């Protein structure tokens, strides 16, 4: 009996020794294998590590530090068995610990969701993966795996419930809406090369009996900004910093989701629309919007500061807000009153007729953008309860003019192709130009009337990799350094060539809103401050922008230019570049853009 017990014990120990610990990791991750499960005073010299029975030598990706082995970045070559041996020189014994490491792209998730809600099933390509988008989602069933959505069929399943959130993106997360009990099971996300990127176990819990829609407790008006005037020296910079940080965050979202295309947006207009919505948001929706806008939580003064900013800029940039709403819905009186107070907007009722509404909305947009944008909506559905609009219009004249006579130059595109474009030239421009190391870009400042500047950020070559270098460094702190550096630079005589530009762009605000973590706007936002009668959800979001550069100056809704020379100092923006229209007085960006093809 006793012997048997000892054999069992020995077998158990042997088994543990042979099997070791199994670890599964994704490529590119960092792996730390400790030799001991507890702190010890074993010194490094008495420890040896073996990989598949060979001694390990430190390399770029494998390093032995103290009693740990670290591997970074993990690749398929690191798959195998790792054994650590620690020799005790006094007792002359040896202890071993082994790991069996497998490397797989596959990530497993379990998602638990309530019946009727939306489930997000995660799937991501590795960041160094060349492929973007095109992953396929399958539901695994006993008989045959059922394909849910493919790109050939668009990104929505037949029944419309499964939707790919970010289409041509590394993030191939699928949203499955109105989940039912029969959706429970295993789902696979498969890359075009056949490898499985993630498997998700979906667990559906029975729905709680939802309380009926209620705005009880959430209908108080937005709090006043206490001590408004004396506070403004503090609260002004808070808003400015939030706006700037948000502005550059938007660049990374838009730049990523539409690679190889011209880009232009007005961060101020997007901010204005979102803060106006914030005025009517309560509870978690308010917190989500504040977070997305980089505002401090419960920043009461956001609306009075937005008003102040709008007034400060009004000499060169005019901002207008408007709300159109369905006649059957009654907006809360406090929201209507505060919209007027802070956003100078008086809500307007929609008409019965869709065409009339299209005309009314587009006319408002055309009027507020000085006819630069004339067609925003094509139809207004009967379902539309409410439409919130923000329009900006900018006009600035160069303080140093360009030649009136037309000229042409060759713009080199990302792929190296050259196209002939009309240009703006000044062979004797007095201006400031610097190389900004933080941005890896040659930057030139063009002064405009009304205390504004246009900055052109020229990457080191026309190549996509150089453009991406600049884009990835474009942050609020790098831009402030750029502005300071250029302010201190002595003006020089520069031969300038800029392409004449007329940009007309439309950004996908839906992707932006999701990437800002504002999913709830599409699902169940709390907009009780605005409209308390029934729940509202976001249907569609758009951003269009226009910018033109002419001999006289910049007209925006937004645009760009450059020059080139041989013997003189020159600044020629006849290749892809970034542009930044900046308010020098309010110190916030007005328009941000990228020109790949004028
Ligand atoms: C995708 O589209 C093709 C042709 O349009 C159709 O035959 C096929 O059934 C569709 N597949 C799914 C999963 O909807
Ligand atoms: C939302 O409202 C609930 C109930 O009134 C409250 O407990 C919760 O703290 C609120 N959350 C936020 C972020 O305001
Ligand atoms: C809106 O208000 C009017 C009058 O105050 C009222 O008759 C109507 O029922 C309200 N609409 C809704 C949808 O509650
Ligand atoms: C916009 O509307 C106002 C008021 O109706 C009018 O005075 C102004 O001229 C219009 N602007 C444009 C550009 O149409
Ligand atoms: C321009 O803005 C700067 C920074 O706020 C300010 O110091 C300066 O007085 C302004 N100039 C004019 C002409 O408004």
């Amino acid at each position: 009996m006793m012997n048997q017990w000892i054999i069992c014990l020995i077998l158990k120990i042997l088994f543990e020794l042979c099997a070791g610990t199994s670890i599964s990791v994704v490529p590119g991750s960092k792996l730390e294998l400790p030799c001991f499960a507890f702190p010890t005073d074993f010194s490094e010299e008495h420890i040896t590590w073996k990989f598949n029975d060979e001694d390990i030598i430190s390399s770029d990706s494998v390093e032995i530090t103290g009693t740990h082995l670290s591997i970074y970045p993990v690749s398929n070559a690191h798959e195998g068995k790792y054994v650590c041996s620690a020799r005790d020189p006094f007792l002359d014994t040896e202890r071993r610990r082994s790991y069996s490491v497998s490397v797989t792209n596959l990530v497993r998730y379990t998602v638990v969701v309530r019946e009727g809600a939306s489930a997000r099933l995660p799937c991501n390509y590795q960041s160094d993966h060349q492929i973007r988008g095109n992953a396929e989602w399958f539901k695994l069933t006993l008989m045959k795996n059922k394909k849910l959505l493919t790109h050939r069929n668009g990104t929505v399943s037949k029944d419309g419930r499964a939707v790919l959130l970010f289409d041509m993106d590394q993030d191939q997360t699928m949203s499955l809406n109105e989940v039912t009990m029969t959706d429970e099971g295993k789902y696979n996300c498969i890359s075009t090369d056949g490898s499985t990127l993630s498997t998700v176990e979906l667990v559906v819990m029975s729905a709680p009996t939802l309380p009926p829609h209620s705005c009880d407790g959430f209908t108080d008006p937005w709090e006043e900004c206490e001590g408004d005037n004396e506070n403004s020296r503090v609260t002004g910079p808070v808003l400015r910093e939030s706006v700037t940080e948000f502005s550059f965050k938007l660049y990374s979202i838009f730049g990523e989701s539409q690679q190889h295309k011209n880009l232009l947006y007005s961060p101020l207009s997007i901010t204005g629309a979102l803060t106006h919505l914030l005025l009517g948001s309560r509870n978690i929706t308010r917190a989500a919007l504040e977070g997305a806008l980089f505002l401090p939580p419960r920043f009461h003064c956001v609306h009075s500061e937005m008003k102040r900013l709008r007034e400060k800029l009004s000499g060169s940039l005019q901002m207008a807000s408007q709300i159109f709403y369905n006649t059957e819905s009654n907006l809360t009186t406090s929201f209507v009153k505060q919209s007027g107070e802070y956003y100078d907007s008086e809500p307007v009722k929609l008409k019965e007729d869709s065409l009339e509404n299209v005309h009314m909305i587009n006319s408002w947009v055309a009027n507020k953008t000085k006819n630069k944008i004339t067609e925003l909506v094509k139809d207004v559905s009967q379902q539309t309860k409410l439409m919130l609009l923000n329009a900006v219009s900018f006009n600035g004249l160069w303080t140093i003019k360009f030649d009136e006579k037309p000229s042409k130059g060759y713009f080199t595109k990302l792929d190296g192709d050259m196209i002939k474009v009309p240009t703006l030239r000044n062979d004797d421009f007095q201006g400031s130009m610097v190389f900004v190391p933080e941005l890896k870009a040659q930057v030139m400042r063009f002064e405009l009337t009304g205390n504004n500047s246009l900055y052109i950020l020229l990457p080191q070559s026309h190549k996509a990799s150089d453009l991406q270098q600049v884009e990835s460094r474009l942050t609020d702190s790098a831009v402030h350094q750029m502005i300071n550096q250029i302010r201190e630079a002595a003006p020089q005589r520069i031969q300038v060539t800029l392409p004449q530009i007329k940009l007309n762009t439309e950004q996908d605000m839906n992707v932006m809103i999701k990437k800002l973590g504002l999913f709830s706007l599409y699902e169940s936002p709390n907009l009780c401050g605005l409209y308390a009668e029934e729940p509202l959800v976001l249907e569609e979001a758009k951003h269009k922008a226009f910018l033109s550069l002419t001999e006289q100056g910049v007209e925006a809704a937004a645009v760009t230019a450059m020059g080139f020379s041989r013997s003189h100092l020159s600044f020629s923006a006849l290749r892809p570049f970034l542009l930044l229209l900046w308010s020098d007085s309010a110190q916030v960006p007005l328009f941000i853009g990228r020109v790949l093809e004028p």
Side-chain angles (χ1 to χ4, degrees):
M1 188 67 190
M2 186 66 172
N3 279 353
Q4 236 174 356
W5 187 81
I6 290 173
I7 287 170
C8 279
L9 189 70
I10 289 173
L11 272 179
K12 186 166 183 291
I13 292 168
L14 273 178
F15 181 75
E16 276 188 355
L17 270 180
C18 299
T21 310
S22 289
I23 296 179
S24 185
V25 281
V26 294
S29 56
K30 180 168 186 166
L31 184 63
E32 291 257 357
L33 303 177
C35 192
F36 303 99
F38 45 85
T40 74
D41 51 4
F42 263 97
S43 78
E44 206 171 320
E45 61 197 283
H46 297 122
I47 292 175
T48 53
W49 281 92
K50 281 190 193 296
F51 172 53
N52 291 342
D53 298 328
E54 307 261 341
D55 280 341
I56 292 183
I57 305 150
S58 288
S59 67
D60 281 351
S61 53
V62 180
E63 199 186 351
I64 300 169
T65 43
T67 61
H68 283 66
L69 180 76
S70 37
I71 307 176
Y72 177 80
V74 172
S75 70
N76 288 329
H78 297 121
E79 197 163 81
K81 192 171 166 201
Y82 292 81
V83 179
C84 168
S85 312
R87 197 170 58 79
D88 188 327
F90 304 108
L91 298 174
D92 198 23
T93 58
E94 195 175 81
R95 276 195 242 175
R96 290 197 188 150
R97 187 161 193 208
S98 70
Y99 293 93
S100 151
V101 172
S102 58
V103 178
T104 167
N105 264 314
L106 181 62
V107 190
R108 290 169 205 281
Y109 300 93
T110 302
V111 171
V112 182
V113 69
R114 286 203 185 272
E115 205 180 350
S118 300
R120 274 189 275 288
L121 313 190
C123 175
N124 270 284
Y125 282 98
Q126 302 298 319
S127 56
D128 58 353
H129 211 287
Q130 289 305 309
I131 308 176
R132 302 166 59 85
N134 279 329
E136 294 185 324
W137 275 97
F138 291 87
K139 175 159 191 199
L140 309 189
T141 58
L142 274 181
M143 304 300 289
K144 139 171 176 297
N145 295 341
K146 187 177 145 213
K147 192 180 281 188
L148 285 170
L149 26 90
T150 67
H151 276 263
R152 231 170 304 130
N153 291 43
T155 48
V156 179
S157 64
K158 269 188 192 158
D159 65 3
R161 286 197 306 127
V163 184
L164 215 50
L165 290 175
F166 302 118
D167 210 358
M168 295 306 290
D169 199 282
Q170 284 184 333
D171 187 345
Q172 291 288 290
T173 296
M174 178 176 72
S175 171
L176 188 61
N177 303 319
E178 292 156 40
V179 168
T180 62
M181 283 296 173
T182 54
D183 289 327
E184 208 167 70
K186 245 195 184 140
Y187 293 79
N188 275 356
C189 174
I190 311 234
S191 143
T192 32
D193 61 15
S195 58
T196 307
L197 298 172
S198 72
T199 98
V200 182
E201 178 87 44
L202 184 68
V203 179
V204 183
M205 298 187 302
S206 58
T209 40
L210 279 176
H213 169 76
S214 160
C215 276
D216 285 356
F218 297 126
T219 49
D220 288 343
W222 189 274
E223 320 84 6
E224 294 294 323
C225 173
E226 304 269 324
D228 205 346
N229 276 318
E230 61 263 37
N231 254 346
S232 187
R233 224 164 329 127
V234 182
T235 53
V238 170
L239 180 74
R240 191 161 68 225
E241 269 170 38
S242 303
V243 169
T244 311
E245 199 172 350
F246 177 66
S247 301
F248 293 110
K249 168 81 179 182
L250 290 181
Y251 192 99
S252 68
I253 294 175
F254 289 144
E256 170 81 3
S257 66
Q258 345 203 326
Q259 291 191 325
H260 311 309
K261 274 213 231 158
N262 288 341
L263 168 66
L264 178 75
Y265 62 98
S266 166
L268 268 190
S269 177
I270 296 175
T271 305
L274 290 179
T275 56
H276 199 175
L277 183 66
L278 176 62
L279 183 64
S281 304
R282 296 292 178 270
N283 202 242
I284 50 172
T285 303
R286 170 175 174 168
L289 275 167
E290 284 170 341
L293 288 163
F294 297 96
L295 292 167
R298 308 197 67 77
F299 180 50
H300 300 174
C301 298
V302 53
H303 306 297
S304 47
E305 284 305 332
M306 276 303 286
K307 178 187 167 115
R308 220 181 279 274
L309 182 60
R310 189 180 75 237
E311 288 167 354
K312 180 162 197 174
L313 294 171
S314 63
S316 43
L317 179 124
Q318 295 83 43
M319 179 188 280
S321 302
Q322 188 55 294
I323 286 184
F324 293 97
Y325 69 104
N326 192 301
T327 38
E328 288 155 26
S329 19
N330 300 320
L331 301 181
T332 66
T333 41
S334 59
F335 180 77
V336 173
K337 180 172 161 283
Q338 292 183 320
S339 282
E341 183 182 335
Y342 297 124
Y343 294 93
D344 198 15
S345 114
E346 193 175 312
V348 171
K349 284 191 177 181
L350 286 167
K351 307 264 164 48
E352 294 289 322
D353 180 56
S354 171
L355 275 178
E356 245 182 290
N357 288 331
V358 169
H359 178 74
M360 183 165 71
I361 292 170
N362 286 339
S363 307
W364 184 87
V365 172
N367 182 284
K368 298 302 174 191
T369 61
K370 305 219 169 76
N371 295 319
K372 295 298 179 294
I373 298 167
T374 50
E375 200 190 15
L376 180 77
V377 292
K378 290 199 172 66
D379 66 303
V380 179
S381 82
Q382 287 302 313
Q383 265 61 269
T384 305
K385 289 264 175 227
L386 173 111
M387 223 165 154
L388 196 152
L389 300 176
N390 180 289
V392 298
S393 162
F394 173 87
N395 200 350
L397 301 176
W398 307 119
T399 57
I400 299 180
K401 295 273 189 283
F402 286 89
D403 297 349
E404 291 287 340
K405 69 173 188 305
S407 58
K408 299 238 172 195
Y410 285 94
F411 185 97
T412 312
K413 299 201 290 178
L414 281 186
D415 58 9
D417 280 359
M418 306 227 286
I419 47 168
K420 202 167 189 179
V421 296
T423 57
L424 300 172
R425 283 189 64 138
N426 184 335
D427 289 348
D428 193 15
F429 194 95
Q430 281 289 119
S432 306
M433 170 175 79
V434 292
F435 179 79
V436 182
E438 288 81 11
L439 288 164
K440 285 217 166 178
Q442 188 79 14
V443 179
M444 182 145 182
R445 173 183 178 209
F446 298 87
E447 257 183 54
L448 292 159
T449 53
N451 219 351
N452 299 296
S453 300
L454 177 73
Y455 290 91
I456 301 232
L457 287 64
L458 198 56
Q460 287 175 306
S461 81
H462 69 271
K463 293 201 201 88
S465 54
D466 284 328
L467 177 77
Q468 277 159 10
Q469 282 266 6
V470 181
E471 298 192 324
S472 64
R473 289 156 186 260
L474 194 69
T475 60
D476 48 336
S477 69
V479 165
H480 279 114
Q481 289 200 25
M482 169 190 95
I483 288 168
N484 289 337
Q485 196 183 329
I486 219 159
R487 188 169 292 149
E488 282 157 19
Q492 319 170 67
R493 291 174 61 174
I494 302 168
Q495 185 185 65
V496 171
T497 315
L498 304 179
Q500 277 195 33
I501 304 165
K502 206 169 222 190
L503 291 181
N504 245 315
T505 63
E506 176 159 359
Q507 303 305 325
D508 188 342
M509 286 262 291
N510 294 299
V511 168
M512 179 207 92
I513 285 172
K514 290 175 193 165
K515 291 218 162 179
L516 288 171
L518 297 172
F519 281 100
S520 69
L521 291 183
Y522 294 95
E523 292 167 0
S524 55
N526 181 335
L527 301 175
C528 289
L530 187 164
Y531 176 59
E533 287 161 2
E534 18 173 22
L536 294 175
V537 293
L538 182 64
E539 266 186 295
E540 210 196 350
K542 286 184 176 185
H543 184 74
K544 284 189 171 190
F546 168 92
L547 179 134
S548 98
L549 278 196
T550 67
E551 288 87 355
Q552 279 75 42
V554 182
E555 274 190 310
V559 189
T560 310
M562 335 271 129
F564 72 108
S565 129
R566 264 173 231 139
S567 55
H568 316 270
L569 264 179
S570 76
F571 184 85
S572 169
L574 294 177
R575 53 185 158 85
F577 59 85
L578 278 59
L579 64 88
L580 190 60
L581 190 57
W582 186 268
S583 160
D584 293 329
S585 50
Q587 296 172 45
V588 291
L590 305 176
F591 284 82
I592 303 179
R594 166 173 82 193
V595 176
L596 302 184
E597 187 170 346

